[in-house]
Amino acid sequence: MTWTVTPEPYDSPVAAALWRAYYTEVSDRWYLLHEGRRTDPEELEREIAAQPGADLAPPHGRLLVARYDGEPAGTAGVRRYDGTTAELKRVFLRPPMRGRGGAPLLVRAAEDAARALGAARLILDTRGDLVEARALYARLGYTETEPHNDDKYAEHWFAKSLT
């Protein structure tokens, strides 16, 4: 079994299915933790439609899809944040694919994509309950920083030099 990571149009059926899986998981985790319920299906549809991922399209962004033995397994995206910085978005692996080395591969491919966009630094935000993500970023050399946005769900901000 082998991993591949390749660019993917943000609006492809593969990207759309992975975005839905990602958003469903992180939304359900938040609602279960804070309100004891899963995401309302109508809200899920509104949020997915409101955030299609156009900011991850060239020339200012890239969406990457990881495949495990040819099957879509996960995503990572980057988008230009400013003249020297890119932002890491939508890092996700489907649950059955976790623990097989795909997440570090995806993040490293996203770092390469950010460099190709001219970025010397990569930033990201995440939530406190996404402990697996925070551990991954720390293992890959990201350091916690001051907030770079005011996203209501962001609780931790990280950065890494790409030079």
Side-chain angles (χ1 to χ4, degrees), residues 59-62 64 77-88 104-123 140-142 159-163:
H60 302 292
R62 298 286 183 282
L64 304 170
V78 293
R79 66 179 180 186
R80 291 292 301 251
Y81 186 79
D82 63 28
T84 61
T85 305
E87 185 175 24
L88 183 62
L105 189 70
L106 257 174
V107 173
R108 288 186 186 111
E111 291 170 358
D112 290 341
R115 284 184 197 95
L117 292 171
R121 187 172 88 118
L122 195 56
I123 59 173
L140 296 178
Y142 288 78
K160 181 179 181 178
S161 173
L162 300 177
T163 56

Side-chain angles (χ1 to χ4, degrees), residues 19 21-34 88-93 98 124-139 144 151 153-158:
W19 169 229
Y22 166 85
Y23 194 81
T24 300
E25 181 176 331
V26 297
S27 182
D28 279 353
R29 281 177 73 161
W30 192 89
Y31 278 114
L32 285 167
L33 179 65
H34 295 282
L88 183 62
K89 304 294 292 179
R90 298 189 186 189
V91 176
F92 172 73
L93 279 177
R98 294 176 187 164
L124 65 97
D125 65 67
T126 191
R127 297 191 327 231
D129 63 309
L130 300 176
V131 294
E132 308 92 339
R134 291 186 4 247
L136 170 69
Y137 301 134
R139 274 195 321 273
E144 199 149 354
D151 184 310
Y153 298 109
E155 298 170 312
H156 297 270
W157 294 262
F158 290 85

Side-chain angles (χ1 to χ4, degrees), residues 2 5-6 8 10 23 25 36 38 49 73 94 96 100 115 124 129 138 145 150 160:
T2 60
V5 178
T6 56
E8 181 85 19
Y10 77 91
Y23 194 81
E25 181 176 331
R38 295 196 179 279
R94 293 186 313 110
R100 300 179 187 200
R115 284 184 197 95
L124 65 97
D129 63 309
T145 65
D150 60 358
K160 181 179 181 178

